[in-house]
Amino acid sequence: MLCGMADTDTVLYDVTDGLATVTLNRPEAMNALNVTTKEALRDGLRRAAADSAVRAVLLTGRGRAFCVGQDLKEHAAGLAEEGDALRTVALHYNPVVSAIAGMRKPVVAAVNGVAAGAGFGFALAADYRVVARGASFSTAFTGIGLATDSGLSWTLQRFVGPGRAADLLLFPRKIDAAEAERLGIAQRVVPDDELPDAGREIARALAEGPTVAYAAVKEALMYAAGHPLTETLEVEAHLQSVAGASADHRAAVAAFLAKERPRFRGE
């Protein structure tokens, strides 16, 4: 079922066979984020996270951009009103990134074109990035006199190292798909016309997998990023107990012994 979120079609939301597809749908504006779009994206991702029928999420955009970040026309109007035009970080960007990174199910970003600023941050918050060969990334922020948001100060240095992250943030430039793959930003690069099918294939494979285990892996990775090995080992032991008690684990062991392919139910 396909339906617009909020009262617009700026974000499309579809759930089919356990896979939620969330599509930014402002192609005429390169999927720039106005308030309506940000609210719809935030609410759509939260909806997917809370829906027990959703086992994986595919995040993508329509047109020639994945997402170029803030709609600067709307932002300029906010600045002219002398209000806090950047309260959107707390109201929208932080909740979007938290929903992507924090949901207990895998998120695949199918990056179809330019991902800049917050759009880059959203892509890095996902668990897997499949990228069209013609797509590109840019930090963008300092080019308009801003610091980072959407988690880029945390995620980017974990992918490329602190020195290269500082370079990319201080001197924004285009990172093409080939370089993104070399840097570890893109896990897979495909021809532009193959991206929709590749994104669905990867996300659907995750939706059909052991989602209890995937949730534990996400939690372990997030915890390990900010804690020493000794503490991480304790968390891993706990999470392994959770995964080991799942019906999926028992079914997979039985399938292995029977030399059959396991079928996971996400429980």
Side-chain angles (χ1 to χ4, degrees), residues 204-249:
R204 191 160 301 287
L206 290 168
E208 294 173 354
T211 48
V212 174
Y214 293 154
V217 167
K218 286 190 69 163
E219 185 174 343
L221 286 170
M222 186 68 72
Y223 185 89
H227 294 83
L229 175 61
T230 52
E231 295 178 17
T232 300
L233 289 171
E234 294 179 5
V235 170
E236 281 189 336
H238 166 69
L239 293 171
Q240 193 67 294
S241 295
V242 172
S246 69
D248 277 347
H249 171 63

Side-chain angles (χ1 to χ4, degrees), residues 27 35 47-48 68 75 114-115 122 131 167 169 188 200 203-204 213 217 220 231 242 244 256:
V35 169
R47 175 179 173 182
V68 295
H75 182 65
V114 181
F122 298 166
V131 178
D167 177 43
L169 290 165
R188 182 176 169 188
R200 283 192 296 269
R204 191 160 301 287
V217 167
E231 295 178 17
V242 172
F256 176 82

Side-chain angles (χ1 to χ4, degrees), residues 70 142 163 166 169 178 184 226 257-258:
Q70 175 65 41
T142 59
L169 290 165
L257 295 175

Side-chain angles (χ1 to χ4, degrees), residues 28-82:
E28 75 289 348
M30 298 185 73
N31 294 319
L33 299 162
N34 59 11
V35 169
T36 299
T37 305
K38 286 180 283 193
E39 290 178 347
L41 179 60
R42 177 196 62 197
D43 296 347
L45 290 166
R46 285 175 169 174
R47 175 179 173 182
D51 186 349
S52 61
V54 171
R55 297 180 59 180
V57 175
L58 177 63
L59 176 63
T60 192
R62 284 192 62 215
R64 60 193 180 95
F66 175 74
C67 174
V68 295
Q70 175 65 41
D71 185 325
L72 291 182
K73 291 182 180 179
E74 185 177 84
H75 182 65
L79 291 174
E81 294 172 2
E82 298 185 357

Side-chain angles (χ1 to χ4, degrees), residues 9 11 17 86 99 159 226:
D9 289 326
V11 175
D17 297 331
L86 290 170
F159 285 100

Side-chain angles (χ1 to χ4, degrees), residues 156-175:
L156 186 59
Q157 65 178 308
R158 284 165 171 78
F159 285 100
V160 305
R164 188 173 280 118
D167 177 43
L168 293 172
L169 290 165
L170 293 171
F171 302 99
R173 61 175 176 81
K174 176 182 176 180
I175 304 166

Side-chain angles (χ1 to χ4, degrees), residues 97 100-101 107 109 111 119-131 137 139 150-166 168-169 175 179-188 221-222 225:
V97 172
I100 295 170
V107 180
V111 182
F120 191 5
F122 298 166
L124 286 187
D127 303 296
Y128 194 98
R129 281 155 298 283
V130 55
V131 178
F137 299 87
T139 56
S150 303
L152 271 172
S153 63
W154 192 91
T155 52
L156 186 59
Q157 65 178 308
R158 284 165 171 78
F159 285 100
V160 305
R164 188 173 280 118
L168 293 172
L169 290 165
I175 304 166
E179 183 179 7
E181 189 172 32
R182 289 196 301 273
L183 292 174
I185 291 169
Q187 282 106 322
R188 182 176 169 188
L221 286 170
M222 186 68 72

